[in-house]
Amino acid sequence: MASTLRSNYVPIFVMLPLGVVNVNNVFEDPETLEKQLKKLKEIGVDGIMVDVWWGLIENKGPKQYEWAAYRSLFELVVKIGLKIQAIMSFHQCGGNVGDIVTIPLPKWVLAIGDKVPDIFYTNRSGTRNPEYLSLGVDNENLFQGRTPVQIYSDYMKSFKNAMADIFEAGHITDVEVGLGPAGELRYSSYPETQGWKFPGIGEFQCYDKYLKADFKAAATKAGHPEWDLPDNAGTYNDTPGDTEFFATNGTYRTEKGKSFLTWYSNKLIEHGDQILEEANKVFNGTKTRLAAKVSGIHWWFKDQSHAAELTAGYYNLDDRDGYRPLARMLTRHYGTLDFTCLEMKDSEQPETAKSGPQELVQQVLSAGWREVIDVAGENALSRYDATAYNQMLLNVRPNGVSKEGERKPKMSALTYLRLSEDLFTTENFSLFASFVKKMHADLDYVPNIIDLTPLERSKPKIPIEKLLEAATPKLEPFPWDSETDLPVESS
């Protein structure tokens, strides 16, 4: 029976509200949250996920960490008997889909940005985006004696120390390391704050002086000092065909375009790799797992240019796998790949967007499984209906429940977005309880299904050339059933 549990039971976590710790770093309403968490516990939910905002904790000044509110929150969650997935949220809250709270970066960091605006991602027209520090400054000593990579490392050390007993008891199962806007390993290519609307292709975000200089050095090394960053890739709300860069046989197919896209996407991989190595150093020996989140950019997936993915930093084409190199990078850190848009169906998207969420999910999950890492995921938008739940269940176990002795692909965990009053209406909560049961393969709640061992030290750095070998040839995804074998039945 134990092996059947292990092979089919998938833990489910519920994402807490963005402002559960408010903009003043106060845990505002523990009484209401306690009632809600007890209801989740009663139906067998395994744990919660929560953003741990850099902009709250280190807001008053460098290394002035204030953990009291989060400490109270974590103690409440532990008391109720739920596990914790903690996100190291080094990004701004506000400006992305679903953001209803605004939590900027620490004010002392923004003050540096007032003087040195190139610390932020910048589009071709020069508009800065203060939601996350540009990866171009990862190793620039601009922040009162520290680099961003050092800042992130110090923050994680402080978090580990503040929650040492909770880690030791095995209550924090995952530390998801924020690596970009919305906590995702990507560029800020589609910011609503700058007027982007779905399904715009977005814009490249590499026009700060640090990334400009980096590209010029790379182009010169490649024997093309005359090459500049793209000037024909359009604006946020264009379609691929509106631009020279993404049009049929556009710049992205030329030597110059390929060289740029390789550089742009490699910078993202190297950014994630370096910060995850720092995270691994911090949590090495701790009973927890590391994770990194990849964005589900499903629009224009069925266009040959994959334009929206390219501007975000995912060099994914019909003949090139933009996600498997990321998965391969994660292997050395024992990292989990966390993906999104698990609930979406192609048929729910407007045809003009050439969206392919189902094919995208299949590609990314297959990439993770081929690299033999854990793959977790979440829904992108709040849904309370059986159609969405069944699509998630299909992606969690794409070939259904394993019988004794079988090994079928299975996600390691799922996080449901998000805890809200809407979730607790009678009809919604009843259906959600059924979904939780199906996530557990109709088995009863198992308290310690997540087997935590001390995190091992990162393996040696994998050369970028070796990572890129995973991009070609692009393999077909694993086969997927047409529907889940354990559906939620709508009332």
Side-chain angles (χ1 to χ4, degrees):
M1 181 63 178
S3 63
T4 309
L5 277 177
R6 294 277 173 192
S7 61
N8 292 312
Y9 184 113
V10 176
I12 178 167
F13 293 74
V14 174
M15 178 69 102
L16 295 190
L18 289 166
V20 62
V21 174
N22 71 16
V23 294
N24 299 311
N25 199 13
V26 173
F27 180 22
E28 202 167 34
D29 190 0
E31 294 80 13
T32 299
L33 186 67
E34 181 168 4
K35 288 175 191 164
Q36 292 174 329
L37 294 182
K38 282 179 175 174
K39 287 180 181 175
L40 295 181
K41 179 70 177 171
E42 284 168 10
I43 63 169
V45 167
D46 297 271
I48 58 94
M49 181 183 261
V50 64
D51 286 284
V52 182
W53 296 106
W54 179 34
L56 297 180
I57 299 299
E58 199 180 358
N59 191 38
K60 292 191 175 171
K63 297 190 179 182
Q64 295 180 37
Y65 306 108
E66 299 185 323
W67 293 109
Y70 276 96
R71 182 76 209 187
S72 300
L73 170 61
F74 280 28
E75 287 172 357
L76 172 60
V77 174
V78 168
K79 181 181 87 170
I80 288 167
L82 294 165
K83 302 293 187 187
I84 299 167
Q85 295 176 322
I87 310 171
M88 302 289 97
S89 295
F90 297 119
H91 60 287
Q92 162 189 299
C93 180
N96 285 293
V97 176
D99 286 353
I100 54 170
V101 176
T102 300
I103 300 170
L105 300 191
K107 58 188 178 187
W108 59 274
V109 173
L110 295 177
I112 293 167
D114 288 340
K115 295 174 184 166
V116 190
D118 286 279
I119 65 172
F120 299 124
Y121 283 128
T122 306
N123 70 357
R124 196 173 75 85
S125 65
T127 307
R128 317 287 187 176
N129 189 334
E131 65 178 312
Y132 185 78
L133 295 176
S134 165
L135 59 80
V137 297
D138 275 352
N139 299 296
E140 298 289 336
N141 187 347
L142 298 166
F143 298 85
Q144 301 189 28
R146 291 186 296 167
T147 69
V149 170
Q150 290 169 333
I151 289 170
Y152 303 148
S153 176
D154 289 341
Y155 181 87
M156 290 186 281
K157 285 175 195 163
S158 180
F159 172 69
K160 178 187 166 189
N161 292 337
M163 308 298 175
D165 55 327
I166 300 175
F167 272 112
E168 184 55 37
H171 297 301
I172 302 174
T173 61
D174 301 87
V175 176
E176 185 168 288
V177 183
L179 298 169
E184 297 167 335
L185 180 57
R186 65 172 174 87
Y187 293 92
S188 56
S189 56
Y190 53 102
E192 291 187 328
T193 52
Q194 294 180 28
W196 174 85
K197 291 184 174 61
F198 177 84
I201 58 173
E203 294 186 32
F204 294 118
Q205 301 288 320
C206 50
Y207 298 84
D208 63 77
K209 71 178 184 183
Y210 299 98
L211 284 176
K212 272 183 173 177
D214 192 291
F215 175 74
K216 186 54 83 172
T220 302
K221 187 177 178 183
H224 287 282
E226 75 281 6
W227 281 352
D228 286 318
L229 293 169
D231 61 1
N232 61 351
T235 54
Y236 287 120
N237 294 315
D238 281 336
T239 67
D242 293 333
T243 75
E244 287 181 33
F245 194 94
F246 298 114
T248 305
N249 296 320
T251 309
Y252 80 98
R253 286 290 187 195
T254 65
E255 183 194 359
K256 180 180 178 182
K258 289 176 182 177
S259 179
F260 164 72
L261 289 167
T262 300
W263 168 82
Y264 188 69
S265 55
N266 285 358
K267 294 302 294 183
L268 197 64
I269 296 171
E270 290 162 0
H271 166 73
D273 192 27
Q274 184 180 9
I275 295 169
L276 285 167
E277 176 147 28
E278 292 302 314
N280 181 281
K281 285 178 191 171
V282 171
F283 297 105
N284 178 33
T286 305
K287 286 188 281 187
T288 195
R289 304 174 297 191
L290 293 182
K293 186 175 173 185
V294 172
S295 183
I297 300 180
H298 55 86
W299 54 106
W300 305 112
F301 182 87
K302 292 183 177 178
D303 184 83
Q304 60 184 9
S305 72
H306 291 252
E309 292 166 90
L310 299 190
T311 57
Y314 305 133
Y315 191 3
N316 190 50
L317 296 172
D318 295 344
D319 58 357
R320 187 187 195 280
D321 193 328
Y323 302 97
R324 197 167 167 194
L326 296 174
R328 183 166 291 184
M329 177 270 286
L330 282 168
T331 62
R332 86 174 184 100
H333 306 295
Y334 306 95
T336 299
L337 191 159
D338 181 22
F339 198 56
T340 182
C341 74
L342 294 185
E343 84 284 13
M344 292 185 176
K345 286 189 161 189
D346 294 8
S347 58
E348 297 166 345
Q349 308 302 320
E351 279 189 32
T352 50
K354 294 193 177 179
S355 282
Q358 290 170 256
E359 292 83 357
L360 176 61
V361 166
Q362 291 169 20
Q363 180 190 333
V364 176
L365 270 53
S366 297
W369 289 326
R370 283 200 167 103
E371 294 297 328
V372 200
I373 60 173
D374 282 341
V375 179
E378 56 197 50
N379 51 307
L381 304 172
S382 295
R383 294 276 294 268
Y384 309 98
D385 58 289
T387 301
Y389 290 146
N390 288 335
Q391 187 62 27
M392 286 192 263
L393 287 163
L394 172 60
N395 289 325
V396 161
R397 289 181 293 259
N399 303 136
V401 165
S402 298
K403 305 295 188 283
E404 197 68 49
E406 289 182 315
R407 282 185 65 85
K408 292 181 177 178
K410 171 181 75 83
M411 294 180 68
S412 61
L414 181 137
T415 300
Y416 174 79
L417 265 66
R418 134 182 351 258
L419 187 77
S420 67
E421 289 182 10
D422 288 343
L423 180 61
F424 291 100
T425 65
T426 303
E427 185 178 344
N428 285 351
F429 198 64
S430 172
L431 200 59
F432 182 70
S434 175
F435 174 56
V436 171
K437 189 77 171 172
K438 299 300 179 184
M439 283 290 302
H440 294 164
D442 281 333
L443 299 162
D444 290 333
Y445 167 76
V446 180
N448 290 307
I449 192 73
I450 301 168
D451 188 16
L452 291 177
T453 55
L455 181 65
E456 293 183 55
R457 187 72 189 88
S458 290
K459 290 179 268 194
K461 187 173 175 66
I462 304 170
I464 192 71
E465 297 77 19
K466 194 76 180 166
L467 294 177
L468 296 186
E469 286 175 8
T472 53
K474 186 174 185 178
L475 304 177
E476 288 295 315
F478 291 170
W480 241 250
D481 293 349
S482 59
E483 53 188 42
T484 179
D485 61 339
L486 284 179
V488 168
E489 306 291 350
S490 55
S491 52

